[in-house]
Amino acid sequence: MKNKLTYFIARSSMFGIGFFLLFKNTGKDSWISLILGTLLGIIILFVYKYIKEYFSNHNIKDILSKTFLGKIYLLIFLLFYIYLMSIILILLPMFVKSFYLLYTPKFLIIVPFLFIAVYISFKDKKVLESLSNLLFVLCVSSVILYSLLLLKYVDSTNLYPIFSSNTISILKSAFIYGTITSIPQIITINFHGNTFKDELKEYIFASLINLLMIILIILTLGEPLIKIYSFPEYAVFKQIKILNFIENIENISTFIWYFDMFMMLATLTTNVKNILPYKYNKLYLLAIITLIIYISAYFIANNYRYIITVFYYYPVVLSIFFGIFVTLLIYLKYSSKLKAIKKEMEEKNKEQ
């Protein structure tokens, strides 16, 4: 079954981190970096294409768990999933406590999201895939609607002069955008409904939506403000007034980012559950989720210096994981033992 997970992964990676880092580095030239970064992201997706094709119609656990080196790669995948889940659960309470529930414990903000994500992980994958298709229409429609409402606040002079940032900063931001929106796409490896062409279309469409958001933020806020706000994608909607008296409609718009983050969180939780041993699966999952809550809500989120460090090094950490995934591709290509295991599994499937 086809899904829109690629779109949500590319979108959720921008919330809180992506926009923040791009505007800090390149200000009003961030849209240029986004275009260049999209090209880098396409190259990364092309590398993932060969990894995903190898596991076509198979769970990575069923093949990799048969060899010692394969088990090490499974452990790396697990660490990658935990890392991304921790990032989301750092961002979520940070955003909510900044604008809404100022005195609510982070634990109470995180748990409802995690509870629903765990619930979906125990359902068939088609539930998550169907949900992604439904929320995709809702989120895209909302982005377009809010973009139209922002048009009257646009000031084209905020975009000029173009190329005011130096080349190094533009390339650095391009690297940031390409890595944070494409490297996490490996988490769809166990969802086999989409072809590479489908994923490419969704990724480019997500980049177009991100480009639209960046240009609107620049045109309506201007360079001084885009570098000040921690969440400029939220601040830009605070300007909207309907009939000069209906205000605070930006609060309604927040469900767009909640859905983006939730879809990625649900995908990660499903992957964590499926990669764990079958025996004591629920116990292991509970232990890992408890660890993630502690890391995100108590250890990192309570120290602003840790949060900033995590944000700035996020693209670097993702790049390290990508390097490891490239070695996985080499291992898959040249391991005769894995080829024999895969052939045996395919023959069994034909007999059934």
Side-chain angles (χ1 to χ4, degrees):
M1 181 180 181
K2 291 187 177 182
N3 58 72
K4 300 296 182 183
L5 295 176
T6 300
Y7 167 84
F8 284 106
I9 293 167
R11 283 276 299 147
S12 64
S13 299
M14 286 296 290
F15 180 75
I17 297 182
F19 289 115
F20 172 78
L21 292 178
L22 259 63
F23 287 138
K24 284 290 184 184
N25 283 298
T26 45
K28 60 178 178 290
D29 287 329
S30 295
W31 64 275
I32 302 172
S33 297
L34 187 147
I35 295 172
L36 295 175
T38 300
L39 299 177
L40 173 62
I42 291 172
I43 295 173
I44 293 172
L45 288 181
F46 190 74
V47 174
Y48 284 164
K49 169 180 177 286
Y50 294 102
I51 299 177
K52 292 179 179 180
E53 282 180 350
Y54 188 92
F55 293 104
S56 179
N57 300 320
H58 298 290
N59 190 303
I60 61 170
K61 176 184 174 182
D62 295 335
I63 295 178
L64 292 180
S65 61
K66 300 293 192 301
T67 66
F68 174 75
L69 190 55
K71 290 178 180 178
I72 294 177
Y73 278 113
L74 284 178
L75 178 60
I76 292 169
F77 269 105
L78 180 60
L79 293 175
F80 185 62
Y81 298 152
I82 292 173
Y83 175 68
L84 291 179
M85 289 176 71
S86 299
I87 293 294
I88 294 173
L89 296 180
I90 290 170
L91 282 170
L92 178 62
M94 180 181 172
F95 174 70
V96 174
K97 287 181 71 67
S98 296
F99 298 102
Y100 303 109
L101 308 176
L102 303 181
Y103 304 105
T104 304
K106 297 180 180 69
F107 177 81
L108 294 181
I109 297 172
I110 288 174
V111 167
F113 257 66
L114 269 175
F115 177 79
I116 301 174
V118 170
Y119 175 76
I120 290 179
S121 71
F122 283 93
K123 300 293 181 180
D124 191 273
K125 286 190 294 185
K126 290 181 179 179
V127 175
L128 184 57
E129 292 168 339
S130 299
L131 185 61
S132 72
N133 289 318
L134 176 64
L135 294 182
F136 172 78
V137 176
L138 186 60
C139 290
V140 172
S141 301
S142 299
V143 169
I144 294 173
L145 174 61
Y146 277 92
S147 299
L148 292 174
L149 292 174
L150 275 173
L151 289 180
K152 68 177 183 178
Y153 304 99
V154 164
D155 182 358
S156 59
T157 61
N158 288 333
L159 202 60
Y160 301 102
I162 299 175
F163 293 108
S164 58
S165 302
N166 61 63
T167 304
I168 298 298
S169 295
I170 291 175
L171 292 178
K172 181 180 178 181
S173 290
F175 168 78
I176 290 171
Y177 181 83
T179 54
I180 68 177
T181 58
S182 62
I183 293 177
Q185 299 291 345
I186 193 71
I187 70 175
T188 62
I189 193 168
N190 284 329
F191 294 83
H192 308 295
N194 290 11
T195 63
F196 173 69
K197 189 176 180 180
D198 294 328
E199 292 183 352
L200 194 57
K201 286 180 180 178
E202 289 172 26
Y203 179 74
I204 293 174
F205 183 75
S207 289
L208 289 174
I209 294 293
N210 289 332
L211 178 62
L212 173 64
M213 288 299 305
I214 276 185
I215 290 177
L216 284 173
I217 292 170
I218 295 170
L219 291 176
T220 56
L221 292 180
E223 178 140 36
L225 292 178
I226 61 178
K227 292 187 175 183
I228 294 174
Y229 289 119
S230 299
F231 295 92
E233 61 271 42
Y234 172 79
V236 70
F237 289 138
K238 291 179 72 68
Q239 302 174 88
I240 297 176
K241 294 181 182 179
I242 301 176
L243 301 177
N244 293 322
F245 66 90
I246 300 177
E247 301 179 349
N248 297 325
I249 65 170
E250 74 277 357
N251 295 329
I252 304 173
S253 71
T254 54
F255 76 84
I256 300 171
W257 300 298
Y258 291 148
F259 288 156
D260 289 342
M261 287 189 290
F262 173 75
M263 289 306 303
M264 186 167 179
L265 183 63
T267 306
L268 289 166
T269 307
T270 301
N271 286 350
V272 169
K273 173 186 170 294
N274 292 336
I275 210 171
L276 293 173
Y278 295 114
K279 191 175 182 181
Y280 306 122
N281 184 274
K282 294 181 180 179
L283 187 60
Y284 289 135
L285 182 61
L286 177 62
I288 287 175
I289 287 177
T290 303
L291 174 64
I292 292 171
I293 292 175
Y294 173 75
I295 292 173
S296 57
Y298 296 103
F299 180 69
I300 296 177
N302 285 333
N303 190 314
Y304 188 72
R305 183 178 297 178
Y306 290 166
I307 293 174
I308 292 297
T309 302
V310 167
F311 284 7
Y312 277 112
Y313 282 95
Y314 182 54
V316 177
V317 174
L318 289 179
S319 300
I320 294 171
F321 274 109
F322 177 68
I324 297 172
F325 296 143
V326 171
T327 65
L328 170 62
L329 177 60
I330 298 171
Y331 176 57
L332 295 174
K333 185 175 181 179
Y334 293 103
S335 174
S336 56
K337 188 172 183 179
L338 280 182
K339 290 178 181 177
I341 292 170
K342 184 182 177 184
K343 185 177 180 180
E344 182 181 348
M345 291 179 65
E346 289 175 347
E347 289 176 354
K348 287 182 178 179
N349 289 337
K350 287 180 181 180
E351 292 175 359
Q352 293 175 354

